[in-house]
Structures are given as structure tokens and as C-alpha cells.
Amino acid sequence: MTSRITRRRALAAATLLLAGAAIAQTFPSQPIKLVVPFAPGGGNDILARAIAPRMAEILGQPVIVDNRPGAGGNLGTDAVAKAAPDGHTILIASNQFTINPALGAKTPFNVERDFAPIGQIASVPIVLVANKSQPFNTVPEFIAYARANPGKLSYSSPGNGTPQHLAGEVFARMTKTFMVHIPYRGTGPAIADVVGDQVQVTFATLASVSSFLEAGKLKAIGVAAPRASRMLPGVKSFGENGLKGYDAELWYCLLAPAKTPDATVAKLNAALNQALQSPKVAEQLARQGFDTATSTPAQLRERIAGDLKRWARVVNEHQIKVEL
């Protein structure tokens, strides 16, 4: 009896493997929808539009960028979590999804349970930038000004609970300053109002503000990281200005719905890594301030688990409470 059950289980496992192999051979059988859970103009969107054409060439099907902003990125993220697990709907996500649980955010999805990691894409430093008219140019000058004018400075972010928002909250706790947080629906409008001087500063990805810095419409005050960025020569990091342990690096990855066949995930991972290694894509992303980083699905899963623990510790240590 036992041997019969064992044979049945072995047969079932073999059937699943064959089914997965068959799916991988036919995948993709239709255009792939690459969901960006934010409005155009932010890091997710820039990366998606950089890798989509090359991945389409590799996979032999169009890769269509689909912006679905709302609820701090949760709207588009949830749509992918609920999509058919066939690899034809995937998500470009930042490590914001590892921050939400630490903030007690109630989301209809669970990062580790509802998604299949595909691979890492890139990381980018977050930079404190200001409208060019503001009277401070360095981190020490900014801290002194903020302390002398409590509540008179406002900073924008792409939304409550985003990494950029948390970068500001941790900064305020560490420097004992008080700024008013102004959340927006996406990176583009958050930066536009700093350029227009409706808001004085913002914590933004280097990729999303590099063109404004080059044009002289914004000025970089400091890099929100332990070390300076080679893309911003002459601009010191928060760590170099005495904020030891401060690190607000933003990183991005591709995810598929949970239960997407391993063979399909492997095919998407190979296409992603090949696209990132393309000289044209690598040069384009480097020019916009991104450091590309490839990985296996297993390595990405490990990084997600580690980041969930890190942000839980950061939020707890600084007693950060955010209204989501």
C-alpha cells in the first residue's frame, strides 16, 4: 500500500514537472503587461521603460508598461497579486513593499506569500534636494536652518509610507528637526512642486531629479546614505555629515504572482538579466543615476526577507508612526 502511494506521488510530481516544462516552452504566448504602481516620472517608471523594449526583443512578445498609481503603490501591486499566475502580468516594485508591514499598513496582499520573486533590477540613492532659492547648500546648513525654523519647512514625497517619506522621517528623528510632510500621488508631482517652490525640499531618487539638477532648477544638499555617490561629485552623504547608520537606499525588482511556474519565472529572470547586461540599457540607467544589479529569484527572496527585518527595526528604533 505504501509503495503504491509513493508511486502515485512520484507520478504526480513528474506530471507537474512536465506541465511546468510545457508552459515554459509556450511562454510567452501573448503580450506581457509590466505594471508600474506609480504615476509616470518616478524611478519605477524610468526603469520599466528602459528594460521593457529589450525584454520584448528577448522574449519575442511586446512588454507593455501599465501605470496604475494609487494608495502609495498598493493599488497596482494588489492588481498583480490577483492576476493569473502565468507570467503575462508582472510588477516592477521598489523596496517600499518591505516598509509597509513595519508601518502597520493594512494591505490586501502579503509580499512573501503572494508574489514570486523574479530578479533584482537596480538600486539608486535617495538625495535631499531643495529649490534653488533656499538659503542652505549643505546638510549642516540645512539642519541649522530647520532647527531655527521649526515647522516652517515642508518636504514632499510620492506618498505616505514611501521610502522617500521614511527617509524624511528618519532624518527628522536623527537631527531633532521638525518639517511638514506633504504627500503626493507619485514622484513627478512631488518634484514639480519643489521646482515651483510650493514646497522647499524633497527626498527623491537621484534618477528622478538628475535632469533638474543638471538644469540648475534644483540643488543637491546631501546624499541620504553612508557614502557619497559618484554621480554627484562634491555632494557629501549624510554619513559623512555625522549621521552614522543612516541608509535610505532605494532598490527595485520584478515580481510575478505567486504560483507562477518556476520555469516561467526562470525565463523572465533570464530575459531581465540579459536586458540589464545590454550595453545600451546599462549606459542609459547609469546616466540616470541607477546602479544595475542582477540576481536569481532565490537571491531576491533572501533580500526581501532581510529588508523586512531591517525596516521593522528602523521604524521601531525611531518610533515612527505614519498615517496610511
Side-chain angles (χ1 to χ4, degrees):
M1 183 69 175
T2 303
S3 60
R4 195 178 305 150
I5 292 172
T6 303
R7 284 198 299 273
R8 284 177 183 168
R9 286 176 177 169
L11 182 60
T15 302
L16 285 172
L17 285 172
L18 288 171
I23 290 170
Q25 286 176 355
T26 58
F27 173 82
S29 58
Q30 63 190 59
I32 296 168
K33 189 180 296 181
L34 174 51
V35 174
V36 176
F38 293 98
N44 298 63
D45 186 66
I46 292 169
L47 283 169
R49 295 181 189 281
I51 64 174
R54 185 69 186 110
M55 286 187 69
E57 290 175 7
I58 296 163
L59 292 168
Q61 285 284 357
V63 177
I64 302 164
V65 176
D66 181 11
N67 293 87
R68 294 197 192 184
N74 289 331
L75 202 66
T77 303
D78 185 46
V80 176
K82 291 180 169 60
D86 57 10
H88 291 103
T89 302
I90 57 177
L91 174 76
I92 184 165
S94 73
N95 59 328
Q96 178 188 332
F97 64 72
T98 66
I99 294 173
N100 285 341
L103 296 173
K106 294 180 180 178
T107 60
F109 56 84
N110 176 283
V111 175
E112 294 183 289
R113 181 194 65 214
D114 295 330
F115 293 95
I118 295 171
Q120 294 182 50
I121 305 173
S123 63
V124 64
I126 290 178
V127 185
L128 170 62
V129 298
N131 180 274
K132 60 183 181 180
S133 68
Q134 294 304 312
F136 40 79
N137 296 292
T138 66
V139 172
E141 289 176 2
F142 177 70
I143 293 172
Y145 186 86
R147 285 175 177 168
N149 298 274
K152 293 184 181 180
L153 279 173
S154 56
Y155 77 96
S156 65
S157 82
N160 283 326
T162 58
Q164 294 91 325
H165 177 200
L166 266 289
E169 290 297 310
V170 174
F171 180 85
R173 300 297 195 283
M174 291 183 76
T175 58
K176 296 180 172 57
T177 54
F178 171 60
M179 299 177 288
V180 178
H181 173 234
I182 311 294
Y184 286 76
R185 287 174 61 88
T187 299
I191 294 169
D193 273 8
V194 181
V195 174
D197 208 19
Q198 284 86 14
V199 182
Q200 291 78 49
V201 299
T202 189
F203 290 81
T205 63
L206 177 55
S208 62
V209 295
S210 59
S211 62
F212 297 103
L213 294 172
E214 289 170 8
K217 294 181 179 180
L218 294 174
K219 56 184 177 181
I221 307 301
V223 180
R227 294 169 296 281
S229 170
R230 59 183 172 79
M231 301 298 293
L232 285 175
V235 180
K236 289 187 175 181
S237 70
F238 287 7
E240 291 169 324
N241 279 292
L243 298 180
K244 302 301 180 186
Y246 188 107
D247 188 2
E249 180 187 63
L250 189 57
W251 54 268
Y252 302 85
C253 65
L254 280 190
L255 303 171
K259 299 182 181 178
T260 298
D262 290 345
T264 299
V265 170
K267 201 164 187 177
L268 286 165
N269 175 264
L272 170 63
N273 290 346
Q274 192 176 334
L276 291 172
Q277 289 161 359
S278 160
K280 182 179 178 182
V281 173
E283 181 185 347
Q284 177 186 346
L285 294 181
R287 194 169 58 246
Q288 293 176 299
F290 290 100
D291 286 323
T292 56
T294 59
S295 77
T296 64
Q299 288 168 335
L300 175 55
R301 187 180 297 280
E302 186 176 336
R303 182 163 196 183
I304 290 170
D307 227 42
L308 285 166
K309 292 176 183 175
R310 181 173 79 90
W311 280 111
R313 186 178 67 252
V314 168
V315 169
N316 182 60
E317 283 178 1
H318 295 285
Q319 299 181 334
I320 296 171
K321 289 182 173 58
V322 174
E323 186 176 325
L324 298 169

